[in-house]
Amino acid sequence: IKLAEKELLLRWANYHLQEAGCPKINNFSSDIKDSKAYYGLLNQVSPKGDEDGVPPIAIDMSGLREKDDLKRAELMLDQADRLGCRQFVMPPDVVRGNPKLNLAFVANLFNKYPALKKPENQDIDWSSFEGETREERTFRNWMNSLGVNPRVNHLYADIDDALVIFQLYEQIKVPVNWDKVNKPPYAKLGSKMKKLENCNYAVELGKKEAKFSLVGIAGQDLHEGNKTLTLALLWQLMRRYTLNILEDLGDGQKVTDDTIVTWVNGSLTEAGKPTISSFKDQSISSSLPVLDLIDAIRPGSIRYDLLKTDDLTEEEKLNNAKYAISMARKIGARVYALPEDLVEVKPKMVMTVFACLMARGFKN
Ligand SMILES: *[C@@H]1O[C@H](CO)[C@@H](O)[C@H](O)[C@H]1NC(C)=O
Ligand SMILES: *[C@@H]1O[C@H](CO)[C@@H](O)[C@H](O)[C@H]1NC(C)=O
Ligand SMILES: *[C@@H]1O[C@H](CO)[C@@H](O)[C@H](O)[C@H]1NC(C)=O
């Protein structure tokens, strides 16, 4: 789960290729052009009829004898089609080795036919392998949108040496003394110590320089990825970042939640739209206040004729929220909250949406 998507899929494909006695691959471009690895993979993951009710699908491997790459690719995709997995690629995409399309093809195959078994008789806590939460995805979105290096694929594992945290501090204008920071590559021996030292320094900066509330948080909690405590630090970083953007635009004036609500109310009133009482206002669940605000900032941008405004089902709320976030981005607001945050009226995330819109509004 720490691997980037591409590495994960390569590892999965190679596991099956090895089981099939086929050569391994290093990429989804040159190495899959002749369709032979794909044949091996399809043959390996296709249903064998040993599961309840799933009929077997035997892959016809005769296409391997075809001499022409393009025709072989077509025959291979015919077999993928029998598994319902022909999407994303045409024979020329396989033969040219288009990496993005082939990655999508393999990802789809993986989702539909993982063909993996949980190891037996092992004491593994499977709950720790659950997918990331929405909150974690939001933080990763935010960090990666700022271009941190390395890119964060797994929230906790990829910040266990605090290097990404230091970059985030710089984004909120907390000076980092890079001479005090241990940098990779870390020697095998003592790497834990080096990373821990970084984490201790990161917590110290948060307490002394950023003036965050970090009661009971130690470097070790970051290094070991204690979820609650790591998220507490990240939340304060993200919040400060958002408020800083506003302060930059408002000539350094202090910005609080109230400042934002007042600005939102003012803009909505000016445009003749209903106001909000706070970031907990249940009317936000429909995303209409957000859409109204976008329309106030860029008049005529919202297609109200396409919107459902009364008696919304959960699905209609989600549709409105997706539309609101995509329109916010379209008018240039760097929104990183997720649609679900609006539907469920998560006050913290709602605040960031309005703050980003306010930052955009200031530029008018
Ligand atoms: C893919 O991997 C092979 C080695 O398995 C290498 O020869 C080839 O250059 C790689 N192709 C790309 C596009 O990276
Ligand atoms: C994380 O830290 C909190 C607060 O100190 C603690 O209650 C919790 O048990 C820790 N979680 C783990 C997984 O260590
Ligand atoms: C925003 O408007 C609501 C309703 O009109 C009002 O109750 C609230 O006090 C206003 N909030 C601010 C901060 O202006």
Side-chain angles (χ1 to χ4, degrees):
I1 58 173
K2 289 180 193 174
L3 294 175
E5 189 185 37
K6 184 172 148 244
E7 273 72 47
L8 187 72
L9 289 172
L10 270 175
R11 183 163 154 181
W12 171 74
N14 281 326
Y15 166 78
H16 283 305
L17 289 173
Q18 192 168 24
E19 294 279 295
C22 301
K24 288 193 180 185
I25 56 172
N26 283 312
N27 48 53
F28 295 115
S29 45
S30 351
D31 283 2
I32 51 83
K33 283 179 172 185
D34 61 10
S35 299
K36 288 179 183 167
Y38 280 163
Y39 262 114
L41 193 54
L42 291 173
N43 195 35
Q44 205 62 26
V45 303
S46 66
K48 303 293 183 281
D50 45 13
E51 276 169 58
D52 298 339
V54 183
I57 303 178
I59 298 296
D60 177 355
M61 304 289 275
S62 61
L64 281 172
R65 290 195 297 273
E66 169 60 51
K67 294 276 185 291
D68 180 64
D69 278 351
L70 201 60
K71 285 186 191 149
R72 196 183 315 110
E74 176 62 48
L75 291 169
M76 181 278 293
L77 288 176
D78 285 345
Q79 297 306 308
D81 197 21
R82 296 179 54 223
L83 299 180
C85 290
R86 212 206 142 109
Q87 294 91 325
F88 304 109
V89 288
M90 303 287 279
D93 304 318
V94 175
V95 174
R96 280 188 219 122
N98 179 312
K100 282 203 178 130
L101 296 176
N102 281 288
L103 186 68
F105 172 73
V106 176
N108 186 46
L109 194 61
F110 169 73
N111 281 331
K112 290 203 176 138
Y113 298 95
L116 299 172
K117 287 196 182 71
K118 287 181 183 179
E120 280 166 26
N121 304 323
Q122 287 191 38
D123 191 16
I124 295 172
D125 175 14
W126 293 102
S127 68
S128 64
F129 290 90
E130 274 166 10
E132 70 181 343
T133 65
R134 218 167 66 214
E135 193 180 14
E136 289 161 352
R137 187 152 53 96
T138 305
F139 283 125
R140 280 201 313 113
N141 247 348
W142 169 63
M143 295 174 184
N144 289 327
S145 78
L146 296 177
V148 295
N149 181 22
R151 195 184 155 77
V152 178
N153 294 312
H154 183 268
L155 187 60
Y156 306 101
D158 289 347
I159 63 174
D160 74 344
D161 62 359
L163 281 189
V164 165
I165 307 274
F166 293 129
Q167 294 165 54
L168 297 174
Y169 276 133
E170 292 203 313
Q171 292 275 351
I172 61 163
K173 301 190 196 80
V174 167
V176 175
N177 179 357
W178 287 97
D179 292 338
K180 286 182 72 171
V181 174
N182 300 312
K183 296 172 198 76
Y186 307 102
K188 269 239 151 52
L189 205 63
S191 78
K192 186 181 161 64
M193 202 58 222
K194 297 276 181 211
K195 292 178 178 184
L196 196 54
E197 281 171 9
N198 282 356
C199 291
N200 287 335
Y201 180 43
V203 171
E204 179 191 321
L205 279 178
K207 284 180 178 161
K208 291 194 181 142
E209 300 287 338
K211 309 268 186 259
F212 287 158
S213 158
L214 297 175
V215 181
I217 303 189
Q220 189 163 350
D221 299 311
L222 288 186
H223 179 63
E224 290 171 359
N226 179 310
K227 294 192 182 190
T228 318
L229 299 176
T230 305
L231 292 176
L233 171 63
L234 292 179
W235 163 247
Q236 292 180 73
L237 278 162
M238 190 167 84
R239 183 188 158 85
R240 180 72 58 84
Y241 171 82
T242 308
L243 295 180
N244 272 7
I245 295 181
L246 292 175
E247 283 169 16
D248 286 351
L249 292 163
D251 295 328
Q253 271 176 22
K254 199 107 205 86
V255 171
T256 63
D257 285 9
D258 262 356
T259 327
I260 304 173
V261 176
T262 305
W263 183 84
V264 170
N265 273 356
S267 304
L268 289 173
T269 306
E270 213 172 290
K273 322 259 190 191
T275 55
I276 56 167
S277 54
S278 71
F279 299 133
K280 293 182 188 149
D281 193 323
Q282 285 306 306
S283 73
I284 294 166
S285 178
S286 69
S287 294
L288 288 174
V290 179
L291 289 159
D292 283 342
L293 185 61
I294 294 168
D295 201 64
I297 295 171
R298 172 87 56 89
S301 59
I302 297 300
R303 294 277 312 269
Y304 282 94
D305 54 327
L306 299 179
L307 278 181
K308 184 114 193 289
T309 52
D310 298 309
D311 303 321
L312 299 175
T313 63
E314 285 304 301
E315 198 187 337
E316 288 162 344
K317 286 181 185 176
L318 192 61
N319 283 339
N320 280 5
K322 286 179 182 164
Y323 180 51
I325 287 186
S326 90
M327 287 310 294
R329 294 198 178 127
K330 201 161 180 182
I331 67 162
R334 295 172 142 217
V335 172
Y336 45 82
L338 302 171
E340 293 85 347
D341 296 321
L342 289 174
V343 174
E344 292 164 26
V345 197
K346 298 280 182 208
K348 289 173 170 182
M349 294 312 298
V350 166
M351 183 279 281
T352 72
V353 173
F354 283 116
C356 291
L357 281 168
M358 181 173 168
R360 177 65 192 77
F362 271 17
K363 287 192 193 151
N364 274 3

